Amino acid sequence: MTKIQIKHFELLFNLMLMGAKDNYVKIKTADLAAKLGKSQQAASIYLITLEREGLIERQSSRDGTVVKITQSGLDQLVTVYLLLRNELEESPTSIVLEGSLFSGMGEGAYYMSLPGYKEQFLKKIGFEPFPGTLNLKIDLRHIMEREKLEQYKHLGIKIEGFSDGTRTYGALWCFHCLIESIRGAVVLIERTHYDISVIEVISPVNFRKELNLKDGDNIKLTIFI
Amino acid sequence: MTKIQIKHFELLFNLMLMGAKDNYVKIKTADLAAKLGKSQQAASIYLITLEREGLIERQSSRDGTVVKITQSGLDQLVTVYLLLRNELEESPTSIVLEGSLFSGMGEGAYYMSLPGYKEQFLKKIGFEPFPGTLNLKIDLRHIMEREKLEQYKHLGIKIEGFSDGTRTYGALWCFHCLIESIRGAVVLIERTHYDISVIEVISPVNFRKELNLKDGDNIKLTIFI
DNA sequence: ATTACTAGTAATCGAGTAA
DNA sequence: TTTACTCGATTACTAGTAA
């Protein structure tokens, strides 16, 4: 098993610049190698490795390789982007919360799976939520930060409400976030009278599985305004 | 001479997250190693190499290492940030111009060296301009793009005008840019009746030397709105 | 403590090449 | 053309350790 040496980011970054973010693009391993300052053979191995790790889709043939960055690969790029933005932009733009994981009734998962919401998530936030949300009970010592987030709510990415003929579903506001370095988004609702100490988070992947979490575990959440 | 293997970016990125962007921070090579998934000894070598390449300042002792990212190191991070932002943000935000390099009268250099401008550049754009600007004569086939940039002018970073008692100096608008992958900023002035086919660029480093340029050379400019 | 040297080892790299 | 395999050469990495 070949372990990749140049870390994934640099490779994904270059593939992005070659246009592999939204579309399948045809590239030559030799061109990629030139950008990385490595041999054609090395680039070939890197691509194979990235594919095995699920970060790209790849179809190689005798006259080139067609690649596209997967959702999971895109998440890596976004994670780096958010952290850079937070450090490099004028106004520091993150709120850090801690809380403990708990199981909801599954309503979150239900709402998130509605096409009316789901399609907007994909378009505006950049991923389709894993069916199942993460409920976090915010520690009392972070409650002030939680209040601050509530004030910023309407600066977030707006997910429009909709009606399915039977009932109406309210608008949501979202912020990108990282949960222990995994990409996600916090989801805030309009209702004013609900328990502010609870916060709901969505993600393109199964948090619980990915991070091996169970109810009661303490989680650190970095929210980007 | 040990060539660094993990590319510089990942290391700089981690140092940034450890707080080494604006301040000297005390770290342990073992902690850094843990973040990179390498041995303490490897981290030690990386830091030494980065220092040799001028990307960090470093002072090590028997009870830790004090590091700070240099301007040059920061430029690397900003470059990656701008390219990521351009690809990942909703509205695509770059204008690509091409043109040929020519020598001005040196007035650009003079203006840029005035404290009234210089200090704002450092604060608002993030670097102190190398004394000497780059004058670019935009190709006719890119003149539409140049017009577009002019329309966006007031969306740029504003550098306030000032007076030194003798005369007044007008406000400027700047945009981050990359010149053949080197960080810089285009500088636009308010005057409406001047030759729009000429554009002026500043940078933290000596472009001409860095890229080995001479008058008449063709240059590609990526401007971030 | 900690950093960073030396020396040996393990992993990566690239030339040659087959398909 | 191109990709990607084998294998010998190179180099990055780690363990041990001195300061």
Side-chain angles (χ1 to χ4, degrees):
Chain A
M1 168 64 181
T2 314
K3 251 268 248 13
I4 211 156
Q5 183 69 1
I6 293 191
K7 273 303 195 64
H8 300 159
F9 175 79
E10 206 191 347
L11 198 39
L12 285 172
F13 182 73
N14 274 287
L15 289 173
M16 176 190 79
L17 295 180
M18 292 167 102
K21 181 171 77 82
D22 300 307
N23 318 293
Y24 291 89
V25 284
K26 189 157 196 170
I27 63 166
K28 283 180 270 186
T29 53
D31 289 350
L32 180 60
K35 288 178 202 291
L36 297 169
K38 292 284 149 65
S39 70
Q40 173 271 319
Q41 295 88 332
S44 175
I45 293 170
Y46 296 160
L47 288 176
I48 292 168
T49 310
L50 275 205
E51 186 187 29
R52 282 210 192 111
E53 308 222 346
L55 299 171
I56 60 168
E57 287 176 54
R58 187 183 67 103
Q59 193 66 256
S60 74
S61 70
R62 289 294 147 77
D63 66 348
T65 300
V66 173
V67 283
K68 185 183 171 204
I69 296 172
T70 62
Q71 178 63 50
S72 156
L74 186 60
D75 292 340
Q76 306 263 344
L77 291 170
V78 171
T79 298
V80 173
Y81 169 66
L82 290 173
L83 290 168
L84 277 172
R85 187 181 73 176
N86 193 42
E87 295 281 344
L88 300 178
E89 283 294 343
E90 287 274 320
S91 43
T93 50
S94 73
I95 289 178
V96 177
L97 296 180
E98 275 184 49
S100 61
L101 186 62
F102 73 96
S103 295
M105 301 293 161
E107 343 75 87
Y110 167 68
Y111 286 121
M112 296 313 127
S113 71
L114 296 170
Y117 284 136
K118 209 166 67 171
E119 284 158 20
Q120 288 186 72
F121 283 133
L122 181 57
K123 187 158 171 288
K124 298 180 181 171
I125 308 193
F127 62 80
E128 186 171 305
F130 176 84
T133 63
L134 204 72
N135 299 298
L136 227 58
K137 179 80 179 172
I138 304 300
D139 291 352
L140 269 176
R141 62 195 165 88
H142 284 98
I143 211 74
M144 293 301 291
E145 292 296 285
R146 175 63 186 87
E147 293 276 10
K148 201 162 90 184
L149 178 63
E150 195 63 22
Q151 284 165 20
Y152 287 140
K153 184 160 74 184
H154 296 114
L155 294 179
I157 301 162
K158 188 175 184 186
I159 303 295
E160 301 291 345
F162 62 95
S163 167
D164 66 358
T166 311
R167 58 158 288 192
T168 57
Y169 298 85
L172 310 173
W173 282 265
C174 298
F175 293 96
H176 287 289
C177 71
L178 293 181
I179 307 196
E180 311 279 348
S181 88
I182 290 193
R183 186 186 174 193
V186 300
V187 178
L188 306 174
I189 58 176
E190 188 52 275
R191 230 182 311 149
T192 47
H193 298 298
Y194 75 109
D195 187 357
I196 201 174
S197 76
V198 168
I199 208 163
E200 204 153 357
V201 185
I202 58 173
S203 160
V205 299
N206 186 348
F207 274 131
R208 288 181 182 255
K209 204 170 171 188
E210 203 82 19
L211 296 171
N212 204 13
L213 298 173
K214 56 186 188 311
D215 274 13
D217 282 352
N218 209 57
I219 309 281
K220 187 180 143 196
L221 194 63
T222 306
I223 299 161
F224 300 94
I225 308 303
Chain B
M1 169 63 183
T2 313
K3 253 265 250 11
I4 210 157
Q5 183 71 359
I6 293 193
K7 275 304 195 63
H8 299 160
F9 175 79
E10 205 192 346
L11 198 41
L12 285 173
F13 182 74
N14 274 287
L15 289 172
M16 176 190 81
L17 295 180
M18 291 167 102
K21 183 171 76 80
D22 300 307
N23 317 295
Y24 291 89
V25 284
K26 188 156 196 170
I27 63 168
K28 283 181 268 186
T29 54
D31 290 349
L32 180 60
K35 287 179 204 288
L36 296 168
K38 292 285 148 65
S39 69
Q40 172 271 319
Q41 294 87 334
S44 174
I45 293 170
Y46 298 160
L47 288 176
I48 293 167
T49 309
L50 275 205
E51 185 187 30
R52 283 210 191 112
E53 307 221 348
L55 298 172
I56 60 167
E57 288 176 55
R58 185 184 68 104
Q59 194 66 256
S60 74
S61 70
R62 290 294 149 77
D63 66 350
T65 300
V66 174
V67 284
K68 186 184 170 207
I69 296 171
T70 62
Q71 178 64 48
S72 158
L74 186 60
D75 292 340
Q76 308 262 344
L77 292 170
V78 171
T79 297
V80 173
Y81 169 65
L82 290 173
L83 290 169
L84 278 172
R85 188 181 70 176
N86 193 42
E87 297 280 344
L88 301 179
E89 283 294 342
E90 287 274 321
S91 45
T93 50
S94 73
I95 290 178
V96 176
L97 297 179
E98 277 185 49
S100 62
L101 186 61
F102 74 96
S103 295
M105 302 290 164
E107 343 74 87
Y110 167 67
Y111 287 121
M112 297 313 127
S113 71
L114 295 171
Y117 284 136
K118 210 166 66 173
E119 284 158 19
Q120 287 186 73
F121 283 132
L122 181 57
K123 186 156 172 288
K124 297 179 181 172
I125 309 194
F127 62 81
E128 186 172 304
F130 177 83
T133 64
L134 204 73
N135 298 298
L136 228 57
K137 178 78 179 175
I138 304 301
D139 293 351
L140 268 175
R141 64 194 164 86
H142 283 97
I143 211 75
M144 293 301 292
E145 291 296 285
R146 176 62 185 86
E147 293 277 9
K148 202 161 90 184
L149 178 63
E150 195 64 22
Q151 284 164 20
Y152 287 141
K153 183 160 74 183
H154 296 114
L155 295 178
I157 301 161
K158 188 175 183 186
I159 304 295
E160 301 291 345
F162 61 96
S163 167
D164 65 357
T166 310
R167 56 159 290 192
T168 58
Y169 298 85
L172 309 173
W173 281 266
C174 298
F175 292 97
H176 288 289
C177 71
L178 293 180
I179 308 196
E180 311 280 347
S181 88
I182 290 191
R183 185 186 177 194
V186 300
V187 179
L188 305 173
I189 58 175
E190 189 51 277
R191 230 182 309 150
T192 48
H193 299 298
Y194 76 109
D195 186 357
I196 201 173
S197 77
V198 168
I199 208 164
E200 204 153 357
V201 186
I202 58 173
S203 162
V205 299
N206 186 350
F207 274 132
R208 288 181 181 254
K209 204 169 170 186
E210 205 82 16
L211 296 170
N212 204 15
L213 299 172
K214 57 185 187 312
D215 275 14
D217 282 352
N218 207 59
I219 308 283
K220 187 179 144 197
L221 195 62
T222 306
I223 299 161
F224 299 95
I225 308 302

